[in-house]
């Protein structure tokens, strides 16, 4: 057996760790210990100086060339990168298609929610549809004006969370963030189920398959969003335009009619009016107002996703917000006017929007265009969440309230981890509900009202501190908005509590506790790593590189080349087993090693079991105890096949050894990849 000589010498500090499963870099932040915590949790213990100095040596040579040429090349590269980045960001029109689908689609159920509540007071109660809608439109105007100011004050996005974080404190901001997260997730589930419900209404044979159809629609929307928010905006621009055009045409044509063109859709369906009219009290009006406010969900999405817009991002986002508010307000008021003009009553099995299309356009091709456009837009309204929530999760990750992986962006400016997480949670909700929209609707819109209220309160404080010209009027506007949305949140929660809203009341504080737990974990990691403190100067230490081997090959040759370049002393180790069938291989390796004589001694590690990772880890542990001042690196050579499927042919010995060493020791792990070239004659 070859013996290991005592290591003696000093390291040159070039040891690197290249773990196969190392996480990606956390999001860049302005500084502070919070950001560093992310590095520590991700890969702080593994950083080597080799990666830290990529330009060392060669960088000096470049400087000795033409400084002007270098500056020109740098400017050209920067311009090219900026142009490429801009292509993956939104224009105002694209932002309207990508971030307004939730709000636009709400006109399909917002007016109906008002009518269904007022129907409890009979035909007399329906007369209050327009006043309630005007109150909602007024609140919409307040919200749009407020969020325009939020966009200007917080161009990094975040909406309610950003405002509350600045003016209402950390925990209040977390409540706002949690409410938005819940609203966005529920919006995906409700939008998809509502769209599929419209489809199954037209094709009843598909009713039993609605859960599978919901998951298929969710998969389609997720795939489109993984390609980038601009691609999703382009894909949804046409359906959005068709829906808006169809609804506006229906309103204009309906206003020109003296009576309904057709009542075919409502014929034969039972009326949902209460048989006896009751008094229209304040509670009923409040309930109708709160139910109709479901049409306001999605208004905050633009403010949350400001970084997704092209420069000047804030100005484009403000234009999108105003356009969204104007279109939504016109459609809501127009539909309410038509409800009163045609004296429509809610009936079972037919939506109010379908009745309005029938009355305005007649029961013809135009009617089916409206229905089809509504169905498509309802299904695609989930895209609003895919545009807003990943950006919000990125901000929470930056502030150390979510794992930093949610702050990463792909080449197309996609927070892909946020997109996938949203899709996964929404899929669970769809499976839980069985694709039934009535199971999810009671949970919807509570979170957004909490976010609205906190945002409005935060903006009131913002104006009080800012005291710019006209601040009193702006603060009064936001204060009224906070009062209205706060009342709506209380009324909706109280009226829907037994129908499932209790889940939101329970989930909201649990989500806040989750944020707090993540933040505490990052704080502990930052303290352990000494983030925020200047460390001592680097110093040299003894260096020993251990190379596990099982046979002689080019892989072994490359591994020893790398090892002698990295460390002052190199030890090759091989795990041997006492079984008779294993002895020939061990003897062959010993004989070949002596013939090769690479200048590195081979140490055999006997093992009584079939394990190969534990003996190496035990040897490293013993070395660490005997030589506390030595920097030990385990360099694991691995062949990397030319084809992905060929990895199934590997024995994964390297992964097993790496796992054991990482689990049981503090040694640095370096996994050396030897790339196998493709042989065209073999494949």
């Amino acid at each position: 057996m070859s013996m290991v000589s005592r290591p003696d010498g000093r390291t040159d500090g070039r040891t690197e760790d290249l773990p196969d499963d190392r996480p990606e870099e956390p999001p860049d932040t302005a500084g502070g210990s919070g950001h560093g915590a992310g590095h520590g949790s991700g890969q702080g213990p593994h950083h080597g100086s080799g990666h830290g100095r990529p330009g060392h040596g060669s960088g000096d040579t470049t400087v000795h060339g033409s400084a002007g040429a270098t500056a020109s090349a740098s400017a050209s590269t920067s311009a090219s990168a900026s142009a490429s980045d801009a292509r993956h960001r939104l224009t105002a029109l694209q932002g309207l298609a990508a971030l307004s689908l939730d709000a636009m689609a709400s006109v399909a159920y917002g007016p109906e929610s008002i009518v269904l509540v007022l129907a409890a007071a009979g035909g007399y109660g329906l007369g209050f549809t327009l006043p309630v809608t005007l109150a909602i439109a007024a609140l919409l105007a307040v919200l749009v004006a407020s969020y325009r100011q939020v966009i200007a004050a917080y161009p990094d996005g975040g909406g309610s969370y950003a405002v509350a974080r600045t003016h209402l404190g950390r925990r209040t901001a977390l409540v706002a963030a949690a409410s938005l997260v819940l609203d966005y997730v529920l919006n995906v589930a409700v939008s998809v189920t509502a769209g599929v419900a419209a489809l199954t209404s037209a094709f009843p044979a598909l009713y039993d398959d609605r859960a599978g159809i919901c998951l298929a629609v969710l998969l389609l929307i997720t795939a489109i969003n993984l390609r980038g928010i601009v691609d999703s905006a382009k894909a949804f621009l046409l359906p959005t335009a068709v829906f808006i055009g169809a609804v506006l045409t229906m309103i204009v044509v309906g206003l020109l009619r003296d009576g309904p063109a057709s009542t075919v859709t409502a014929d034969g369906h039972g009326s949902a009016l209460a048989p006896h009219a009751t008094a229209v009290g304040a509670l009923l009006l409040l309930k109708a107002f709160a139910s109709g406010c479901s049409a306001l969900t999605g208004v905050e999405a633009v403010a949350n996703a400001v970084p997704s817009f092209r420069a000047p991002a804030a100005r484009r986002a403000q234009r999108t917000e105003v356009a969204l508010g104007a279109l939504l307000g016109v459609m809501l008021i127009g539909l309410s006017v038509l409800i009163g003009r045609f004296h429509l009553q809610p009936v079972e099995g037919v939506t109010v929007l379908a009745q309005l299309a029938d009355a305005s356009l007649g029961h013809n091709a135009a009617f089916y265009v409206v229905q089809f456009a509504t169905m498509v837009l309802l299904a695609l309204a989930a895209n609003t969440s895919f545009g807003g929530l990943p950006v919000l999760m990125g901000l929470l990750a930056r502030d150390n309230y979510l794992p930093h992986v949610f702050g990463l962006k792909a080449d197309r400016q996609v927070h892909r981890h946020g997109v996938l997480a949203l899709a996964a949670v929404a899929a669970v909700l769809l499976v839980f509900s069985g694709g039934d929209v009535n199971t999810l609707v009671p949970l919807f819109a509570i979170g957004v009202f909490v976010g609205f209220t906190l945002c409005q309160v935060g903006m009131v404080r913002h104006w009080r501190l800012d005291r710019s010209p006209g601040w009193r009027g702006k603060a009064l506007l936001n204060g009224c908005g906070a009062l209205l949305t706060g009342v709506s949140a209380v009324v909706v929660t109280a009226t829907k509590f037994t129908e499932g809203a209790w889940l939101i009341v329970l989930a909201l504080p649990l989500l806040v506790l989750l944020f707090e737990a993540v933040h505490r974990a990052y704080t502990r990691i930052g303290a352990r790593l000494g983030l925020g403190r200047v460390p001592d100067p680097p110093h040299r230490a003894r260096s020993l590189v251990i190379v596990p081997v099982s046979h002689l090959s080019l892989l072994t040759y490359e591994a020893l080349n790398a090892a002698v370049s990295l460390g002052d002393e190199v030890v090759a180790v091989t795990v041997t087993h006492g079984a008779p069938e294993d002895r020939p291989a061990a003897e062959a390796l010993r004989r070949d090693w002596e013939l090769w004589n690479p200048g590195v001694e081979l140490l055999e590690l006997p093992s009584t079991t079939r394990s190969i990772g534990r003996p190496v880890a035990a040897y490293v542990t013993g070395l660490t105890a005997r030589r506390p001042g030595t920097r030990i690196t385990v360099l694991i050579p691995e062949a990397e096949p030319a084809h992905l499927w060929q990895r199934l042919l590997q024995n994964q010995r390297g992964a097993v050894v790496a796992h054991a060493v990482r689990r049981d020791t503090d040694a640095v792990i370096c996994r050396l990849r030897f790339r196998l070239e493709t042989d065209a004659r073999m494949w």
Side-chain angles (χ1 to χ4, degrees):
M1 181 191 306
S2 300
M3 300 302 292
V4 179
S5 60
R6 178 181 177 85
D8 188 16
R10 304 187 64 81
T11 181
D12 58 4
R14 291 176 292 172
T15 302
E16 296 184 32
D17 170 45
L18 299 173
D20 181 56
D21 56 347
R22 63 188 185 279
E24 301 171 74
E25 288 286 350
D28 293 333
T29 55
S33 61
H35 173 56
H39 281 284
S41 64
Q43 56 191 56
H46 303 293
H47 274 312
S49 58
H51 280 305
R53 299 180 297 168
H56 186 70
S58 61
D60 295 338
T61 304
T62 305
V63 172
H64 290 303
S66 170
T70 303
S72 176
S74 176
S76 176
T77 302
S78 177
S80 176
S82 298
S84 175
D85 180 68
R87 286 196 300 270
H88 298 299
R89 295 185 184 272
L90 298 169
T91 64
L93 184 60
Q94 291 170 342
L96 193 63
L99 301 172
S100 69
L101 296 182
D102 177 19
M104 293 297 180
S106 65
V107 303
Y109 51 79
E112 183 164 5
S113 299
I114 300 173
V115 169
L116 288 175
V117 173
L118 294 177
Y124 178 69
L126 293 179
F128 288 87
T129 300
L130 182 58
V132 171
T133 303
L134 290 175
I136 293 173
L139 177 56
L140 172 63
V142 172
L143 290 173
V144 169
S146 174
Y147 277 109
R148 283 189 77 255
Q149 300 301 324
V150 171
I151 290 168
Y154 302 92
D156 290 334
S160 303
Y161 168 67
V163 175
R165 180 184 57 187
T166 304
H167 297 293
L168 301 180
R170 181 177 60 86
R171 291 195 173 176
T172 305
L174 294 181
V175 173
S179 67
L180 287 174
V181 169
L182 291 173
D183 177 66
Y184 276 136
V185 172
L186 286 168
N187 172 58
V188 174
V190 169
S191 298
V192 171
T193 52
V196 173
L199 176 65
T200 56
S201 297
F203 303 98
L206 300 175
Y207 183 79
D208 292 336
D209 300 321
R210 62 189 186 279
I213 298 173
C214 285
L215 293 176
V217 172
L218 177 62
L219 180 62
L220 173 64
I221 298 173
T222 303
I224 293 175
N225 277 275
L226 286 174
R227 288 186 54 82
I229 192 170
V230 171
D231 282 354
S232 69
K234 292 178 180 178
F236 302 148
L237 188 58
L238 180 60
T240 305
V242 171
F243 177 80
I244 294 174
V247 173
L248 293 179
T249 300
M250 181 179 67
I251 293 172
V252 172
V253 174
L255 291 176
L256 297 177
R257 291 189 181 278
D258 295 329
S262 172
T263 58
V264 173
T265 55
D267 292 342
H269 294 269
S271 174
L273 280 179
H276 303 289
T278 59
V280 179
L283 182 60
L284 184 67
L285 291 177
L286 278 177
K287 187 175 180 180
F289 174 81
S291 297
C293 280
S294 60
L296 302 181
T297 58
V299 173
E300 78 290 348
V302 177
N304 288 335
V306 178
S308 298
F309 286 84
R310 294 183 187 177
R315 188 176 303 172
R316 291 182 187 273
Q318 286 179 322
R319 292 173 183 170
T320 302
E321 186 74 52
V322 171
L324 168 60
L327 287 171
L328 183 57
V330 167
M331 288 192 289
L332 288 175
I333 295 174
L335 293 177
S336 296
V337 170
L338 291 185
I339 290 172
R341 187 179 184 85
F342 296 139
H343 305 288
L344 290 186
Q345 300 178 4
V347 297
E348 297 177 359
V350 179
T351 65
V352 170
L353 189 63
Q355 292 187 65
L356 289 176
D358 198 22
S360 296
L361 304 174
H363 202 76
N364 49 32
F367 167 81
Y368 287 102
V369 168
V370 174
Q371 292 303 104
F372 182 76
T374 303
M375 176 190 70
V376 172
L377 205 72
L378 279 169
L380 299 182
N383 194 67
T384 297
S385 294
F386 282 99
L389 181 58
V391 175
L392 175 62
M393 294 176 74
L395 293 177
L396 287 168
R398 185 193 67 182
D399 294 339
N400 299 325
Y401 292 112
L402 281 179
H404 286 176
V405 69
F406 290 112
L408 300 175
K409 285 186 179 181
D411 292 338
R412 292 173 175 265
Q413 297 297 317
V414 181
H415 292 82
R416 62 177 180 272
H417 297 92
V419 169
L420 292 173
L422 172 58
V425 177
V428 171
L429 286 176
L430 290 174
V431 172
F432 167 76
S433 67
D436 183 14
V437 67
N438 293 324
T439 305
L440 297 170
V441 165
L443 311 179
F444 191 45
I446 296 176
V448 73
F449 284 123
V450 174
F452 281 162
T453 304
L454 294 178
C455 183
Q456 300 286 327
V457 173
M459 289 306 294
V460 170
R461 188 164 187 181
H462 170 78
W463 296 125
R464 291 185 61 186
L465 295 174
D466 183 69
R467 293 185 178 272
S468 58
W471 71 271
R472 294 181 185 275
K474 296 176 182 178
L476 179 62
L477 187 66
N478 291 131
C480 292
L483 178 62
L484 291 174
T485 54
V487 169
S488 299
V490 173
V491 172
V492 172
T493 303
T495 56
K496 302 293 184 181
F497 188 82
T498 57
E499 299 177 30
W502 62 271
L503 285 173
I504 302 300
V505 176
L506 179 64
L508 197 63
L510 290 179
L511 201 52
V512 172
L513 291 176
L514 174 64
F515 294 154
E516 294 276 18
V518 172
H519 192 269
R520 286 195 299 271
Y522 276 131
T523 300
R524 288 194 296 267
I525 292 170
R528 181 69 179 85
L529 293 175
L531 296 172
R533 299 193 299 270
V534 179
D536 295 333
H539 65 278
R540 291 181 178 273
R542 295 179 179 274
S543 176
L544 171 62
V545 180
I546 300 171
V547 183
V549 299
S550 60
H551 56 270
L552 288 188
S553 64
L554 285 177
L555 183 62
T556 309
Y557 168 75
E558 292 291 343
L560 292 185
N561 275 345
V564 297
S565 301
L566 290 172
D568 299 308
E569 183 178 356
V570 178
V571 176
V573 297
T574 184
V575 178
T576 59
H577 306 288
E581 64 269 20
D582 296 319
R583 291 173 185 169
E587 293 173 356
L589 176 60
R590 187 183 309 115
R591 182 177 61 253
D592 293 342
W593 196 273
E594 292 175 354
L595 290 174
W596 182 30
N597 191 22
V600 175
E601 294 197 59
L602 178 66
L603 175 64
E604 296 183 4
L605 303 177
S607 175
T608 58
T609 65
R610 306 302 299 180
S611 173
I612 58 174
R614 291 180 181 175
V616 176
Y619 174 66
V620 173
T621 301
L623 277 179
T624 303
R626 294 193 302 270
R627 303 168 66 172
T630 302
R631 172 69 67 183
I632 299 176
T633 300
V634 180
L635 189 149
I636 304 171
E638 295 177 298
E640 183 172 300
H643 300 281
L644 182 63
W645 67 267
Q646 292 174 333
R647 295 186 181 182
L648 297 174
L649 307 178
Q650 294 179 293
N651 56 25
Q652 305 300 323
R653 291 170 61 95
V656 172
V657 173
H659 174 73
V661 173
R662 181 182 294 110
R663 180 191 58 201
D664 300 334
T665 76
D666 293 327
V668 176
I669 300 171
C670 178
R671 300 178 72 171
L672 176 70
R673 298 299 177 88
F674 181 76
R675 298 182 182 274
L676 302 178
E677 297 181 357
T678 303
D679 189 343
R681 295 172 299 177
M682 297 178 60
W683 308 105

